[in-house]
Amino acid sequence: MLLLFWTCCLQLLFHVLILKPEIPGHHFWLLSLTAKLPAESNLRGNGPSGICLSYLLSGYTPYFKRHSLHPHPILQNKLEEAVDVSILDQDLEYLSEGLEGRSNSPVALLFDTLQRPDTDFGVSAESVLTWRHEIDRAIPHLVLGKNPPGGAWHSIEGSMITLSRGEWMGLPDLQFKDWLKQKKRGLRNHRATAEDIAQYYQHYVMKKGLQKNFRCGTVVTSVKKVSAKSISNHAQKDLQKSDSLWNFSEESMEVFQVDGFVKTVKGDREPFSVYAENIVLATGTYDSPTWLRVKGENLSYVHHQLSALEEAVKNNSIGITSDPVLIVGAGLTAADAILFAHHCSIPVIHVFRRQVSDPGLIFNQLPKMMYPEYHKVHQMMKEQSAACAGPYECYVSLPEHHVLSFGKDKKCVLQDKDGCQKAYKISMALVLTGSNPNLFFLPNNGIDLAMDSDQPVNPKRNPIDIDPFTYECTQEKGLYALGPLAGDNFVRFVQGGALAAASSLLRKANKNPP
């Protein structure tokens, strides 16, 4: 069985993965976009989804803690019915029935409330779970990723503050706040920095002994179904000598072939191939920013990541006396860019399509006390429009506007809701309107797996169609999707997907007790 797990930076996790001699010394590997190996289970992704799944596949098993009391009485009764049975071995649909919360995934709500009971009400109740390390239930696997463990968190500017509360960023059986205390650091407004989160995930992998499953610096370029008979004789012999579940006597059997490369210390690319019955995708959405698809968007002064502004300030290529920076978008990344520019006294023209009062705007959904900086941006958007002067220097808000074109002379043409057009001279442009998963390595870019198979995969509008209690793709058996690909966009909820997938994979590997 091959489990492939992919998170933000294209990584893989294998259930029982047998490697070819190109990467010697391991029977089980987790790969990212580029290498050559045979395997039984493969997982791609080393962000929080991949780390959590690796933890569960390493034999760490959750049980209901005896004599503990959950605030949900119906769930409490269900848990007491099978105290000696692991949560992984119970009926997840039955346990999660009737739960409500901030996620549409019943298993995500279940795992979250077991770890953090009543956390949405500001309660710091103890987890009702206890963890046992049952080594005989471990499924050998590999986790592949371009970045160190933590995935895209290593690509985010370290001083950025998380949207979620700090305690919601933690992984099973190692609370983030406890790790933070050991570092003699605290939370800001109950929230953590991206640097702390990235370091915590790396520490978690080491603390739980998962590092042997992780291979960083890997990139996956192709995932496709092939006939088991097409695998090389050498690979088949290796698999048959191992504990593989594959039965090569079944002539019609198909497996996944994963191709990619590993970046060496010298900067070379070593190709690899991996074969598996099951693959888990956990790639996230950070890699592929959304484009406006307007004229001139590919010019050198037009960027799609906040890091471009940070780099420009660092290099002194823009400053107080520069032409304004154009920021397009009305989400939290755009707000972060505005706050950064405002802190550096850099003039900003802020363009977005919606009305400031639109209830769908993220700022209208965040508690003011917990997110004062984002409500400051929202206030600027309301009070500092081009039509009326406001109290905020170096900032102009243009609601209900959109970009028509970018010119080589660094002039940007904007249009308002009435069709009126105006050109603005700018120093650089940041198009921060979201991002989409980059599934180029799948046939047809993974579109056939989506809820609407006529549209690209989108974590909010068109996620991959999965079974909600196993996270297995309905259109491709053996393929699993976690995290934003499955519509789970917060760390506290992606862990439920890992629980569902681990439960399913354990059943396939006959690792569940009767």
Side-chain angles (χ1 to χ4, degrees), residues 168-223:
W168 295 348
M169 306 302 294
L171 296 175
D173 202 31
L174 182 61
Q175 293 192 46
F176 175 71
K177 65 180 181 179
D178 293 339
W179 174 84
L180 208 58
K181 286 179 182 178
Q182 293 178 356
K183 296 293 181 180
K184 298 182 179 179
R185 295 199 292 272
L187 299 171
R188 186 196 302 179
N189 246 7
H190 302 287
R191 292 150 66 202
T193 66
E195 180 180 15
D196 281 339
I197 295 300
Q199 290 181 8
Y200 163 76
Y201 291 146
Q202 281 190 283
H203 172 80
Y204 186 93
V205 168
M206 297 294 293
K207 178 73 173 178
K208 298 301 182 180
L210 309 179
Q211 64 271 22
K212 62 182 179 298
N213 303 321
F214 283 71
R215 294 297 180 272
C216 304
T218 56
V219 179
V220 172
T221 54
S222 172
V223 175

Side-chain angles (χ1 to χ4, degrees), residues 273-334:
S273 292
V274 178
Y275 302 93
E277 278 187 273
N278 300 284
I279 291 183
V280 182
L281 304 174
T283 57
T285 63
Y286 193 76
D287 282 342
S288 186
T290 302
W291 283 48
L292 301 175
R293 302 191 183 281
V294 298
K295 181 181 178 181
E297 193 173 2
N298 59 343
L299 293 171
S300 60
Y301 69 91
V302 182
H303 305 272
H304 297 80
Q305 291 184 330
L306 173 56
S307 58
L309 176 60
E310 297 162 352
E311 190 67 24
V313 171
K314 182 180 178 180
N315 295 334
N316 296 316
S317 56
I318 63 170
I320 298 176
T321 60
S322 301
D323 289 324
V325 172
L326 180 74
I327 296 177
V328 184
L332 298 181
T333 305

